[in-house]
Each structure stands twice: as C-alpha cells, then as structure tokens.
C-alpha cells in the first residue's frame, strides 16, 4: 500500500518561499508520476504540478509556472515542491499524489493521496 506523508506547510508572508516535502513508501516508484494538488476554502481542488519519477519530466499549472518547482530525491523516496514568490491566492491545503498514469494528474483522479498540509500566505 502506498503511503504519502506531506510536511513543510506553514504561515508565510507574500513574496516568501516555502518548500513542501512528500515522503513516499510502500512501492517502488520508478514507474510512477508524483505531484501536487491544492484546495483553497470554498474552491475545487486544482492541479499544481507533476513529475515523472524515472525521467524527471515536469508539468505545471499556468498559475504557478515560473514560481513553483517540483523535484524528487530517489534515494529518499521524497518529492518536493519549492514555492517561491508566494501570493495570498496560493493559500490552500496542498496534497501530494501518486499514480502510474501521467494523465490521471490532469484529470485530478490519482490513485494515492497524502493527508494534506496547510499553506497560508498573508498579504
């Protein structure tokens, strides 16, 4: 069973940076894509970005492109979301996700989810 545990959320000011981590366990992830979603209060969950575990290929939502970067550390089975130039509209619960199908991220229907970590950006 895949387990995903996020960490690194918190309260920051606009313009600050924050790095989220997602520790994965339970499988060999070489054939997986892993990524991030977020959900703000009163809004639908939205795709943030995804990375292919084996090839490192990434894709991002337009709203975060150029500010957020996803990376992975295979030795630690951990995926990171580096968030720079944070804005109040980035405030949300951020969820780590994993799936063997890249397209599942674009559909928001991944097989595995973490419990989420809160990110709050004050103006």
């Amino acid at each position: 069973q895949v387990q995903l545990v996020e960490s690194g959320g918190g309260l920051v000011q606009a313009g600050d940076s924050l790095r989220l981590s997602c520790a994965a366990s339970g499988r060999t992830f070489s054939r997986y894509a892993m990524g991030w979603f977020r959900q703000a209060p009163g809004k639908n969950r939205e795709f943030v970005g995804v990375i292919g575990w084996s090839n490192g290929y990434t894709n991002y939502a337009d709203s975060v492109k150029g500010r957020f970067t996803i990376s992975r550390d295979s030795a630690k089975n951990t995926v990171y979301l580096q968030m720079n130039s944070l804005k109040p509209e980035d405030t949300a619960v951020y969820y780590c996700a994993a799936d063997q199908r890249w397209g599942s991220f674009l559909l928001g229907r991944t097989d595995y989810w973490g419990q989420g970590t809160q990110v709050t950006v004050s103006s």
Side-chain angles (χ1 to χ4, degrees):
Q1 183 69 16
V2 173
Q3 289 188 324
L4 305 173
V5 180
E6 302 99 333
S7 61
L11 172 63
V12 297
Q13 293 185 333
D16 285 352
S17 298
L18 201 60
R19 189 178 78 161
L20 306 183
S21 301
C22 173
S25 61
R27 292 284 170 87
T28 300
F29 293 96
S30 59
R31 295 185 179 182
Y32 277 74
M34 295 188 68
W36 297 86
F37 291 82
R38 66 186 182 185
Q39 187 166 20
K43 294 187 177 181
N44 293 329
R45 185 177 59 202
E46 66 171 345
F47 167 76
V48 173
V50 59
I51 186 168
W53 193 268
S54 59
N55 58 19
Y57 181 77
T58 55
N59 190 30
Y60 299 95
D62 287 343
S63 58
V64 306
K65 204 170 291 183
R67 299 188 299 123
F68 290 12
T69 303
I70 296 177
S71 61
R72 83 266 191 252
D73 184 332
S74 299
K76 296 182 179 180
N77 261 10
T78 299
V79 174
Y80 302 98
L81 179 65
Q82 178 67 44
M83 304 183 292
N84 298 329
S85 301
L86 282 162
K87 305 174 182 180
E89 51 263 44
D90 294 318
T91 295
V93 177
Y94 283 71
Y95 296 93
C96 179
D99 199 287
Q100 288 186 306
R101 299 155 294 183
W102 183 271
S104 296
F105 282 85
L106 305 182
L107 296 172
R109 296 175 183 173
T110 57
D111 284 341
Y112 303 104
W113 295 88
Q115 82 286 355
T117 186
Q118 176 71 46
V119 172
T120 303
V121 184
S122 64
S123 57

